[in-house]
Amino acid sequence: MPEYKTEPFIVPSISGLLPVGERNPRVALTSFDPREKKVQVPSREVTCYECGRRSHVPSAALSANCIHCHAHLNMTDIELKPGSRRLTVRTLGNVTIAPDAVLSHLSVVCHHLDMGGRASGSFRCSGTLTISGGTRIEGSVQAASLVVNKGISVILTQGAALQDATIYGRVSGRIEASGCVRICRGGELCGDCCAAEIQVEQGGAHLGNWIRP
Ligand SMILES: [Zn+2]
């Protein structure tokens, strides 16, 4: 039985690229040189609101695609005005609800949310949810921190899951916080509070149980 040895057929001069001197220097890909200094585009880290994983995107971008799940990520700031018919908002930017707006059945995922008007629905904020208009929220509320401004009355029918909360106004509902809940002077929390720490300043009140996690 004769033994066949196949020699690899290699043509060393054919690589698909032109010799360096003949390449068009204006075409970036064909003149790629790994020793060239990389242009550093300022980037920021974002957490995808669809899959929850982190990736880096150029700071100036207004949208991007998640490198993990390819979801389209909106990064613009959005204002919801009175009469807005937009119910679903997904952005890594900030959302403002205008003071004279009355909106319900919203589903908002954003960084900071400034709620000036009366808004109901579900809200998930990776930053601060600031409530500066009296409202009754029928859906779920999640935020890194919650601030309820002075003189404002908020009803959270499904409660809120937070890291921290600072209450200057009046809140009815159950609060779960991994950090500290601060009830400031003139503030009132009416409902059970499951938090690592709770601070009730003089002139503030907590009507409910404190449950340590
Ligand atoms: Zn993703």
Side-chain angles (χ1 to χ4, degrees), residues 5-162:
K5 278 192 178 167
T6 51
E7 291 287 323
F9 183 71
I10 296 171
V11 182
S13 61
I14 297 175
S15 69
L17 288 176
L18 288 167
V20 176
E22 292 175 33
R23 292 179 201 165
N24 181 351
R26 285 183 296 173
V27 181
L29 283 174
T30 55
S31 61
F32 176 72
D33 181 350
R35 290 165 301 176
E36 275 177 34
K37 233 178 115 193
K38 277 189 185 165
V39 180
Q40 283 288 332
V41 179
S43 68
R44 64 180 176 124
E45 194 182 58
V46 295
T47 303
C48 171
Y49 43 70
E50 298 290 346
C51 73
R53 285 177 283 187
R54 291 162 185 269
S55 51
H56 282 88
V57 298
S59 308
L62 295 178
S63 74
N65 283 84
C66 172
I67 57 165
H68 305 288
C69 73
H70 307 291
H72 176 258
L73 301 175
N74 178 16
M75 282 182 263
T76 52
D77 293 339
I78 292 166
E79 187 185 5
L80 296 177
K81 295 182 175 160
S84 165
R85 289 200 204 143
R86 189 169 177 173
L87 297 178
T88 304
V89 175
R90 298 278 180 275
T91 182
L92 293 168
N94 305 323
V95 172
T96 307
I97 296 175
D100 42 355
V102 180
L103 303 168
S104 58
H105 302 100
L106 293 172
S107 170
V108 177
V109 176
C110 64
H111 187 50
H112 297 313
L113 172 58
D114 201 341
M115 195 186 284
R118 279 167 56 196
S120 181
S122 66
F123 303 93
R124 204 169 91 207
C125 312
S126 55
T128 303
L129 166 58
T130 307
I131 301 181
S132 42
T135 190
R136 176 188 171 92
I137 298 177
E138 303 279 354
S140 64
V141 175
Q142 288 175 49
S145 59
L146 169 73
V147 176
V148 177
N149 283 341
K150 203 173 172 71
I152 300 303
S153 181
V154 178
I155 299 167
L156 304 168
T157 57
Q158 291 188 28
L162 315 160

